[in-house]
Amino acid sequence: MAKKEPILDAKFAQSLVDIIAAELNKNVNIVDEDGIIIASFSPERIGKLHEAAALHLTGSLAEEFSVSEADEKKWPGVRSGFNVAIRYRNRRAGFIGVTGQPETAAPYARLAARFVAAALEANERQQLLLKTLREKKELQSSLLNQIIRVQEEERRKISRELHDETSQSLTSIIMGLRLLAEQMPEEAWREKVLAMREVAAGTLDAVHRLAVELRPLLLDDLGLAPALQRYAETYAKQYGINVQLDVSEVAGCRFLPEIETALYRIVQEALTNIAKHAEASQVWICIGKKQRRLYCRVQDDGKGFERTILNKAVDGRPCLGIHGMQERVELLQGEFEIISQPGGGTTVWVEVPARKR
C-alpha cells in the first residue's frame, strides 16, 4: 500500500512551534504521522521517536492524550505534558504537545492544535492562490506571445505587399511620367508632369519607409545585424542624429525569429523615443554575446529624465512603448533595465538567452 504524502513540512512546523512557544512561554513539539518529532522548542529532540504519540497514532483513535511523570520513566525521551491531534482534511497529521503538568498544559495544547490546523489551511489557500497566479501569468504570456506573432505576421504580409506591389506600381508611374514629360512639346506642361513625377517619387520613398517600419525584409532574409545596419542608416538620415552601431559579435549569426524580432523592435522603439524626447545628437547601439546570452545596449547623450516618470503618463499618455519593450523581454525570460538621469542621457539595457536557429 502506498504511503500517504506527509502533510506537515518540517520547516513549516518549526516556524509554527517557534511562534506558539514564544506566545505560551512553554516547551512545544510537533510529531508527524509516524510519531517522529519534526519540530521542537528543544532542538535535541528533533528526529527522535515520541513513543507515546506513535502508540496512539497506530493503536487508537484518540484525539488527545496526557503524559504523566510516570510515563516519563516508562518511555525514554518522552516528557510530561498534554498532546492534541492536529486535524487536517479529516486526517490526523500528527500531534502537538505542550510540556508541563497535563492539567495546566491541556488548554494550551488544544489552542495550539487549532492554531496549527488553521495555519495549514491558510498555507494551502496561499499555495493554491500562488499556483493560480502562476497559471494565469503563463496563460497571459502565452496569449501575449501569440498576439505578437500574429502582429508580426500581419506586418510581414503588409510590408511585402507594399514592397512588391505598391512600390512596383509607383515605379511604373514614375517611369511613365518621365517618358510623358519628354514627349511634351510645351515647357509648362512638361514642368507640371515632372512635378507630378516628384510627388510620385516622394510617395514611393514614404512607402519604402513604411514597409521598413512595418517589417524589414532584411530581418527575415539576412537576420538581425543587417536589418539594424539598414535601419540605423535610414534613422540617421531622417533625424540628423549620428548613430554608431556595433554588431560585430553577432554578424553572420542567426537566432530564433522571436529573439531577432524582439531585439529589433526594442532598438526601434528606443530610437523612436530618442528622436521624440531626448534631444540627443549621438546614439550608440551595441549587440553582443556574453556566454550563452545576448545583450543589447542603446545609449544616447540626450537630456535624460527622472526614473519616476516611468510610472507616470507622459503628455497624458502612459509609457506604453517602454512597457512593450519590457513585455517582449519578459516573454524571452530576459532582463530589462533603463538607466537615466536628468542631463546624463539614457541607456536601455536588455539581456536575453541566445538561442540560435
Side-chain angles (χ1 to χ4, degrees):
M1 185 176 177
K3 186 178 179 179
K4 292 182 180 179
E5 184 179 350
I7 292 175
L8 284 166
D9 173 74
K11 187 175 181 180
F12 180 64
Q14 186 61 52
S15 67
L16 297 177
V17 164
D18 293 340
I19 294 171
I20 296 168
E23 289 293 326
L24 301 182
N25 197 24
K26 294 179 179 293
N27 289 327
V28 180
N29 60 265
I30 292 179
V31 303
D32 63 11
E33 292 176 289
D34 297 321
I36 303 297
I37 299 175
I38 59 172
S40 177
F41 191 70
S42 302
E44 69 276 2
R45 301 192 68 195
I46 296 175
K48 294 182 178 179
L49 177 68
H50 193 297
E51 295 186 33
L55 180 64
H56 281 85
L57 284 166
T58 56
S60 73
L61 299 177
E63 293 295 310
E64 52 186 43
F65 66 92
S66 61
V67 177
S68 65
E69 293 180 357
D71 292 329
E72 282 191 39
K73 300 176 182 178
K74 179 180 178 183
W75 288 311
V78 174
R79 297 179 183 175
S80 61
F82 200 83
N83 297 266
V84 178
I86 300 170
R87 273 280 168 187
Y88 182 68
R89 288 192 172 191
N90 297 321
R91 283 172 59 185
R92 286 190 303 181
F95 278 93
I96 184 167
V98 177
T99 58
Q101 291 298 322
E103 298 80 11
T104 57
Y108 296 112
R110 294 185 183 113
L111 180 63
R114 288 197 295 271
F115 173 78
V116 172
L120 284 170
E121 291 177 3
N123 186 60
E124 183 187 40
R125 287 195 298 270
Q126 183 182 25
Q127 295 300 321
L128 181 61
L129 178 60
L130 290 174
K131 180 183 177 183
T132 303
L133 288 174
R134 282 196 300 269
E135 291 174 351
K136 185 177 180 181
K137 187 173 182 180
E138 289 171 0
L139 178 60
Q140 184 181 17
S141 297
S142 177
L143 291 174
L144 181 59
N145 208 359
Q146 188 173 354
I147 289 171
I148 290 175
R149 283 200 302 268
V150 171
Q151 284 179 338
E152 292 296 334
E153 185 60 34
E154 288 300 314
R155 284 170 175 257
R156 184 182 295 109
K157 289 179 181 179
I158 296 172
S159 177
R160 287 195 178 274
E161 288 176 2
L162 288 173
H163 186 271
D164 296 340
E165 297 181 11
T166 307
S167 295
Q168 290 179 11
S169 298
L170 285 171
T171 302
S172 299
I173 292 172
I174 291 169
M175 294 175 63
L177 290 171
R178 179 66 181 179
L179 293 173
L180 181 61
E182 292 175 354
Q183 296 174 5
M184 284 290 174
E186 297 182 13
E187 183 65 26
W189 283 104
R190 187 182 300 112
E191 290 179 358
K192 289 181 179 180
V193 173
L194 289 175
M196 292 175 61
R197 178 183 178 278
E198 291 300 320
V199 172
T203 304
L204 179 61
D205 290 339
V207 168
H208 280 159
R209 286 197 302 270
L210 180 59
V212 172
E213 289 283 340
L214 284 171
R215 180 78 184 189
L217 300 181
L218 283 176
L219 185 61
D220 297 318
D221 298 338
L222 298 180
L224 180 63
L228 286 178
Q229 287 171 338
R230 176 67 62 85
Y231 185 77
E233 292 170 4
T234 305
Y235 178 88
K237 292 178 181 177
Q238 183 177 356
Y239 295 105
I241 300 174
N242 186 33
V243 179
Q244 292 188 16
L245 176 67
D246 181 7
V247 290
S248 57
E249 291 187 17
V250 296
C253 298
R254 295 304 306 268
F255 303 95
L256 291 180
E258 54 266 31
I259 293 176
E260 293 184 343
T261 299
L263 292 182
Y264 182 87
R265 293 300 180 200
I266 288 169
V267 172
Q268 188 180 41
E269 180 64 32
L271 290 177
T272 300
N273 288 338
I274 290 170
K276 286 182 179 179
H277 309 294
E279 299 178 8
S281 60
Q282 183 80 30
V283 177
W284 298 269
I285 305 171
C286 182
I287 309 286
K289 290 187 294 185
K290 185 170 61 176
Q291 295 179 347
R292 295 184 179 181
R293 297 179 74 81
L294 270 176
Y295 66 85
C296 169
R297 183 178 68 248
V298 182
Q299 184 178 358
D300 67 70
D301 63 351
K303 62 182 182 180
F305 57 86
E306 292 283 356
R307 283 188 52 82
T308 54
I309 200 172
L310 296 177
N311 301 321
K312 300 178 182 178
V314 180
D315 297 329
R317 295 172 296 177
C319 303
L320 295 179
I322 293 175
H323 293 314
M325 288 191 284
Q326 190 167 5
E327 285 178 344
R328 286 181 181 272
V329 174
E330 288 177 354
L331 286 175
L332 296 175
Q333 298 178 343
E335 300 175 11
F336 176 81
E337 185 178 9
I338 292 182
I339 305 168
S340 185
Q341 60 181 1
T346 301
T347 299
V348 175
W349 173 266
V350 173
E351 191 173 315
V352 297
R355 295 188 289 270
K356 293 186 177 182
R357 286 192 179 184

